[in-house]
Amino acid sequence: MIGDLVGRPGRALFSTLIGPLRAKYRPDCVVVNGENAAQNGRGITAQTVEFLRKSGADIITSGNHIFGQKGYTEAFLSSDRLIRPLNFPSECPGKGYVLFTTPSGITIAVVNAQGRVFMHEQVACPFKSMESLLTFLKSQTKLVFLDFHAETTSEKQGMGFFLDGRITAQVGTHTHVPTADEYILPNGTAYITDIGCSASMHSMLGMNINSVLSRMITQLPSKFIVEEAVGPWVLRGVCITADVATGKALSIERVEIIKAELVINQDTAGKE
Ligand SMILES: [Fe+2]
Ligand SMILES: [Fe+2]
């Protein structure tokens, strides 16, 4: 599971590194968070969904920025592998989970949910939403992976302990800053508060430092610009292994690849 790809650098990191990552870890499924994958860092287009899928993403999760592009409906219509937080209103396009069959014939569920603490969207209770979805998912598979898109460490920990032993893994996204607390909870669920993002290291959450800092200091409007010029570049995520028979996690390992140079063009980042 790979953290939020921010703009074209995030896409270029993914397309450049997914080959070596697949060779090293031999994953049955690659999940990537695409809520910031559009060129301006907000949302995703159908074109970018296609690019990421062709590059090697099996499932694309998202979060609060997922409806940030005008073409969000087309993006969801273009692929059932793109999911959005489960607890958004039912009128929103897309759905909050996907059942995926691996090349070796194993069915896994990938779920996306969003937290409520310090988040602007008035979404339904993520705990109760997960509880009711699990009733259904457990009839389909023991292997359930959750991308919990939330701001606070406490809400993410709360969800982890709420689901411990009932899902295979919960990874956090949204803060874009990785945490060092990956481990297996007492009842067998792999957990990490946040897996971080894939972007310029010398940026603020993937955005140009001055574009964010000037708003903090002056309180004047400032357009946040994806940092495309200044490296090094980092891809972050985790590799999780699980026991297919029980659905319990066996290991969770943080993945971090730093590149001094990154080619960002249409071949590596797609056309949008
Ligand atoms: Fe994000
Ligand atoms: Fe987010």
Coordinates of all heavy atoms in Angstrom, one line a residue, residues 2-55:
I2 N 0.7 2.1 -0.9 CA 1.5 3.3 -1.2 C 0.8 4.6 -0.9 O -0.4 4.7 -1.2 CB 2.1 3.2 -2.6 CG1 3.0 2.0 -2.8 CG2 2.9 4.5 -2.9 CD1 3.4 1.7 -4.2
G3 N 1.5 5.5 -0.2 CA 0.8 6.7 0.3 C 0.6 7.7 -0.8 O 1.1 7.6 -1.9
D4 N -0.3 8.7 -0.5 CA -0.8 9.7 -1.5 C 0.3 10.1 -2.5 O 1.3 10.7 -2.1 CB -1.3 10.9 -0.8 CG -2.3 10.6 0.4 OD1 -2.2 9.5 0.9 OD2 -3.1 11.5 0.7
L5 N 0.0 9.9 -3.8 CA 0.8 10.4 -4.9 C 0.5 11.8 -5.1 O -0.7 12.1 -5.4 CB 0.6 9.6 -6.2 CG 0.7 8.1 -6.1 CD1 0.3 7.5 -7.5 CD2 2.0 7.6 -5.6
V6 N 1.4 12.7 -4.9 CA 1.1 14.1 -5.0 C 1.5 14.6 -6.4 O 2.7 14.7 -6.7 CB 1.8 15.0 -3.9 CG1 1.4 16.5 -4.1 CG2 1.4 14.5 -2.5
G7 N 0.5 15.0 -7.2 CA 0.7 15.5 -8.5 C 1.6 14.7 -9.4 O 1.7 13.5 -9.3
R8 N 2.2 15.3 -10.4 CA 3.0 14.6 -11.4 C 4.3 14.0 -10.8 O 4.6 12.9 -11.2 CB 3.4 15.6 -12.5 CG 2.2 16.1 -13.3 CD 2.5 16.8 -14.6 NE 3.7 17.5 -14.6 CZ 4.6 17.4 -15.6 NH1 4.3 16.8 -16.7 NH2 5.7 18.1 -15.6
P9 N 4.9 14.6 -9.8 CA 6.1 13.9 -9.2 C 5.6 12.6 -8.5 O 6.3 11.6 -8.6 CB 6.6 14.9 -8.1 CG 6.1 16.2 -8.6 CD 4.8 16.0 -9.3
G10 N 4.5 12.6 -7.8 CA 4.0 11.4 -7.2 C 3.7 10.3 -8.2 O 4.1 9.1 -8.0
R11 N 3.1 10.7 -9.4 CA 2.9 9.7 -10.4 C 4.2 9.2 -11.0 O 4.3 8.0 -11.3 CB 2.1 10.4 -11.6 CG 0.7 10.6 -11.2 CD 0.0 11.2 -12.5 NE -0.5 12.5 -12.3 CZ -0.7 13.5 -13.2 NH1 -0.4 13.2 -14.5 NH2 -1.2 14.6 -12.9
A12 N 5.1 10.1 -11.2 CA 6.4 9.7 -11.8 C 7.2 8.7 -10.8 O 7.8 7.8 -11.2 CB 7.3 10.9 -12.1
L13 N 7.1 9.0 -9.5 CA 7.7 8.1 -8.5 C 7.1 6.7 -8.6 O 7.8 5.7 -8.6 CB 7.5 8.6 -7.1 CG 8.5 9.7 -6.7 CD1 7.9 10.5 -5.5 CD2 9.8 9.1 -6.3
F14 N 5.7 6.7 -8.7 CA 5.1 5.4 -8.8 C 5.4 4.6 -10.0 O 5.8 3.5 -10.0 CB 3.5 5.6 -8.7 CG 2.8 4.3 -8.7 CD1 2.8 3.5 -7.6 CD2 2.1 3.9 -9.9 CE1 2.1 2.2 -7.7 CE2 1.5 2.7 -9.9 CZ 1.5 1.9 -8.8
S15 N 5.3 5.3 -11.2 CA 5.6 4.6 -12.4 C 7.0 4.1 -12.6 O 7.3 3.1 -13.1 CB 5.1 5.4 -13.6 OG 6.1 6.4 -13.9
T16 N 7.9 4.9 -12.0 CA 9.3 4.6 -12.1 C 9.7 3.4 -11.1 O 10.6 2.6 -11.4 CB 10.2 5.8 -11.7 OG1 9.8 6.9 -12.5 CG2 11.7 5.6 -12.0
L17 N 9.1 3.4 -10.0 CA 9.6 2.5 -8.9 C 8.7 1.3 -8.7 O 9.1 0.3 -8.1 CB 9.6 3.3 -7.6 CG 10.6 4.4 -7.5 CD1 10.5 5.2 -6.2 CD2 12.1 3.8 -7.6
I18 N 7.5 1.2 -9.4 CA 6.7 0.1 -9.1 C 7.3 -1.2 -9.7 O 7.1 -2.3 -9.1 CB 5.2 0.3 -9.6 CG1 4.3 -0.8 -9.1 CG2 5.2 0.5 -11.1 CD1 4.2 -0.9 -7.6
G19 N 8.0 -1.1 -10.8 CA 8.7 -2.3 -11.4 C 9.6 -3.0 -10.4 O 9.5 -4.1 -10.0
P20 N 10.6 -2.2 -9.9 CA 11.5 -2.7 -8.9 C 10.8 -3.2 -7.6 O 11.2 -4.2 -7.0 CB 12.5 -1.6 -8.6 CG 12.4 -0.6 -9.8 CD 11.1 -0.9 -10.4
L21 N 9.8 -2.4 -7.2 CA 9.1 -2.8 -6.0 C 8.3 -4.2 -6.2 O 8.3 -5.0 -5.3 CB 8.0 -1.8 -5.6 CG 8.6 -0.5 -4.9 CD1 7.6 0.6 -4.8 CD2 9.2 -0.9 -3.5
R22 N 7.7 -4.3 -7.3 CA 7.1 -5.6 -7.6 C 8.1 -6.8 -7.6 O 7.8 -7.9 -7.1 CB 6.3 -5.5 -8.9 CG 4.9 -4.9 -8.8 CD 4.1 -5.2 -10.1 NE 2.8 -4.6 -10.0 CZ 1.7 -5.2 -9.5 NH1 1.8 -6.4 -9.0 NH2 0.5 -4.6 -9.4
A23 N 9.2 -6.5 -8.2 CA 10.3 -7.5 -8.3 C 10.8 -7.9 -6.9 O 11.0 -9.1 -6.6 CB 11.4 -7.0 -9.1
K24 N 10.9 -6.9 -6.0 CA 11.4 -7.2 -4.7 C 10.4 -7.8 -3.8 O 10.7 -8.8 -3.1 CB 11.9 -5.8 -4.0 CG 12.4 -6.0 -2.6 CD 13.0 -4.7 -2.1 CE 13.5 -5.0 -0.7 NZ 13.9 -3.7 0.0
Y25 N 9.2 -7.3 -3.7 CA 8.2 -7.8 -2.8 C 7.2 -8.8 -3.3 O 6.5 -9.5 -2.6 CB 7.4 -6.6 -2.2 CG 8.3 -5.7 -1.3 CD1 8.8 -4.5 -1.8 CD2 8.6 -6.0 0.0 CE1 9.5 -3.7 -1.1 CE2 9.4 -5.2 0.8 CZ 9.8 -4.0 0.2 OH 10.6 -3.2 1.0
R26 N 7.1 -9.0 -4.6 CA 6.2 -9.9 -5.3 C 4.7 -9.8 -4.7 O 4.2 -10.7 -4.2 CB 6.6 -11.3 -5.2 CG 8.0 -11.6 -5.8 CD 8.2 -12.9 -6.4 NE 9.2 -12.9 -7.4 CZ 9.1 -12.5 -8.7 NH1 7.9 -12.1 -9.2 NH2 10.1 -12.5 -9.5
P27 N 4.2 -8.6 -4.7 CA 2.9 -8.4 -4.1 C 1.7 -9.0 -4.9 O 1.8 -9.1 -6.1 CB 2.7 -6.9 -4.0 CG 3.5 -6.4 -5.2 CD 4.7 -7.3 -5.3
D28 N 0.7 -9.5 -4.2 CA -0.5 -10.0 -4.8 C -1.4 -8.9 -5.3 O -2.2 -9.0 -6.1 CB -1.2 -11.0 -3.9 CG -0.5 -12.2 -3.7 OD1 -0.3 -13.0 -4.6 OD2 -0.1 -12.5 -2.5
C29 N -1.2 -7.7 -4.6 CA -2.1 -6.6 -4.9 C -1.3 -5.3 -4.5 O -0.7 -5.2 -3.4 CB -3.4 -6.7 -4.1 SG -4.5 -5.3 -4.4
V30 N -1.4 -4.3 -5.4 CA -0.7 -3.0 -5.1 C -1.9 -2.0 -5.0 O -2.7 -1.8 -5.9 CB 0.2 -2.6 -6.3 CG1 0.7 -1.2 -6.1 CG2 1.4 -3.6 -6.3
V31 N -1.9 -1.4 -3.8 CA -2.9 -0.3 -3.6 C -2.2 1.0 -3.4 O -1.2 1.1 -2.7 CB -3.6 -0.6 -2.2 CG1 -4.7 0.4 -1.9 CG2 -4.3 -2.0 -2.3
V32 N -2.7 2.0 -4.1 CA -2.1 3.3 -4.0 C -3.1 4.4 -3.8 O -4.2 4.3 -4.3 CB -1.3 3.6 -5.3 CG1 -2.1 3.5 -6.6 CG2 -0.5 4.9 -5.3
N33 N -2.8 5.3 -2.9 CA -3.8 6.4 -2.7 C -3.6 7.5 -3.7 O -2.5 8.1 -3.9 CB -3.6 7.0 -1.3 CG -4.7 8.0 -0.9 OD1 -4.9 9.0 -1.6 ND2 -5.4 7.7 0.1
G34 N -4.7 7.8 -4.4 CA -4.6 8.7 -5.6 C -5.4 10.0 -5.4 O -5.7 10.7 -6.3
E35 N -5.7 10.4 -4.1 CA -6.5 11.6 -3.9 C -5.9 12.9 -4.3 O -6.6 13.9 -4.6 CB -7.0 11.7 -2.4 CG -5.9 12.1 -1.5 CD -6.4 13.0 -0.3 OE1 -7.6 13.3 -0.3 OE2 -5.6 13.4 0.5
N36 N -4.5 12.9 -4.4 CA -3.8 14.1 -4.8 C -3.1 13.9 -6.1 O -2.2 14.7 -6.5 CB -2.8 14.5 -3.7 CG -3.4 14.6 -2.4 OD1 -3.1 13.7 -1.5 ND2 -4.2 15.6 -2.1
A37 N -3.5 12.9 -6.9 CA -2.7 12.6 -8.1 C -2.9 13.5 -9.3 O -2.1 13.5 -10.2 CB -3.1 11.1 -8.6
A38 N -3.9 14.4 -9.3 CA -4.1 15.4 -10.3 C -2.9 16.3 -10.3 O -2.2 16.5 -9.3 CB -5.4 16.1 -10.2
Q39 N -2.7 17.0 -11.5 CA -1.5 17.8 -11.6 C -1.5 18.9 -10.5 O -0.4 19.3 -10.1 CB -1.6 18.5 -13.0 CG -0.3 19.3 -13.3 CD -0.1 19.5 -14.8 OE1 -0.9 19.2 -15.6 NE2 1.0 20.2 -15.1
N40 N -2.6 19.5 -10.1 CA -2.6 20.5 -9.1 C -2.7 19.9 -7.7 O -2.8 20.7 -6.7 CB -3.7 21.5 -9.4 CG -5.1 21.0 -9.2 OD1 -5.3 19.8 -8.9 ND2 -6.1 21.8 -9.4
G41 N -2.7 18.6 -7.6 CA -2.6 18.0 -6.3 C -4.0 17.8 -5.6 O -4.1 17.3 -4.5
R42 N -5.1 18.0 -6.4 CA -6.4 17.8 -5.8 C -7.2 16.9 -6.7 O -7.5 17.2 -7.9 CB -7.1 19.2 -5.7 CG -6.5 20.0 -4.6 CD -7.1 21.4 -4.5 NE -6.4 22.1 -3.4 CZ -6.9 22.2 -2.2 NH1 -8.1 21.7 -1.9 NH2 -6.2 22.8 -1.3
G43 N -7.6 15.8 -6.2 CA -8.4 14.8 -7.0 C -7.6 14.0 -8.0 O -6.4 14.0 -8.0
I44 N -8.4 13.5 -8.9 CA -7.8 12.6 -9.9 C -8.7 12.6 -11.2 O -9.9 12.8 -11.0 CB -7.6 11.2 -9.4 CG1 -6.7 10.3 -10.3 CG2 -9.0 10.5 -9.2 CD1 -6.3 9.0 -9.6
T45 N -8.1 12.6 -12.3 CA -8.9 12.5 -13.6 C -9.0 11.1 -14.1 O -8.1 10.2 -13.7 CB -8.2 13.4 -14.7 OG1 -6.9 12.8 -14.9 CG2 -8.1 14.9 -14.2
A46 N -9.9 10.8 -15.0 CA -10.0 9.5 -15.6 C -8.7 9.2 -16.3 O -8.3 8.0 -16.3 CB -11.2 9.5 -16.6
Q47 N -8.1 10.2 -16.9 CA -6.8 9.9 -17.7 C -5.7 9.4 -16.7 O -5.0 8.5 -17.0 CB -6.4 11.3 -18.3 CG -5.5 11.2 -19.5 CD -5.4 12.5 -20.1 OE1 -5.5 13.6 -19.5 NE2 -5.0 12.5 -21.4
T48 N -5.7 10.0 -15.5 CA -4.7 9.6 -14.5 C -5.0 8.3 -13.9 O -4.1 7.5 -13.6 CB -4.5 10.7 -13.5 OG1 -4.0 11.9 -14.1 CG2 -3.5 10.3 -12.4
V49 N -6.3 8.0 -13.7 CA -6.7 6.6 -13.3 C -6.1 5.6 -14.2 O -5.5 4.6 -13.9 CB -8.2 6.5 -13.1 CG1 -8.6 5.1 -12.9 CG2 -8.7 7.4 -12.0
E50 N -6.4 5.9 -15.5 CA -5.9 4.9 -16.6 C -4.4 4.8 -16.5 O -3.8 3.7 -16.6 CB -6.4 5.4 -17.9 CG -6.1 4.4 -19.0 CD -6.4 4.9 -20.4 OE1 -6.8 6.1 -20.6 OE2 -6.1 4.1 -21.4
F51 N -3.7 5.9 -16.4 CA -2.2 5.9 -16.4 C -1.7 5.1 -15.2 O -0.8 4.2 -15.3 CB -1.7 7.3 -16.3 CG -0.2 7.4 -16.2 CD1 0.6 7.2 -17.2 CD2 0.4 7.6 -14.9 CE1 2.0 7.2 -17.1 CE2 1.8 7.6 -14.8 CZ 2.6 7.4 -15.9
L52 N -2.3 5.3 -14.0 CA -1.8 4.6 -12.8 C -2.1 3.1 -12.9 O -1.3 2.2 -12.5 CB -2.4 5.2 -11.5 CG -2.0 6.6 -11.2 CD1 -2.7 7.1 -9.9 CD2 -0.5 6.7 -11.0
R53 N -3.3 2.8 -13.5 CA -3.7 1.4 -13.6 C -2.7 0.7 -14.6 O -2.2 -0.4 -14.3 CB -5.1 1.2 -14.2 CG -6.2 1.6 -13.1 CD -6.5 0.5 -12.2 NE -7.1 -0.6 -12.9 CZ -6.6 -1.8 -13.0 NH1 -5.5 -2.1 -12.4 NH2 -7.2 -2.8 -13.7
K54 N -2.4 1.4 -15.7 CA -1.4 0.8 -16.7 C 0.0 0.7 -16.1 O 0.7 -0.2 -16.4 CB -1.4 1.6 -18.0 CG -2.6 1.3 -18.9 CD -2.4 2.0 -20.2 CE -3.5 1.6 -21.2 NZ -3.8 2.6 -22.2
S55 N 0.3 1.6 -15.2 CA 1.6 1.6 -14.6 C 1.8 0.4 -13.6 O 2.9 0.1 -13.3 CB 1.9 2.9 -13.9 OG 1.8 4.0 -14.8

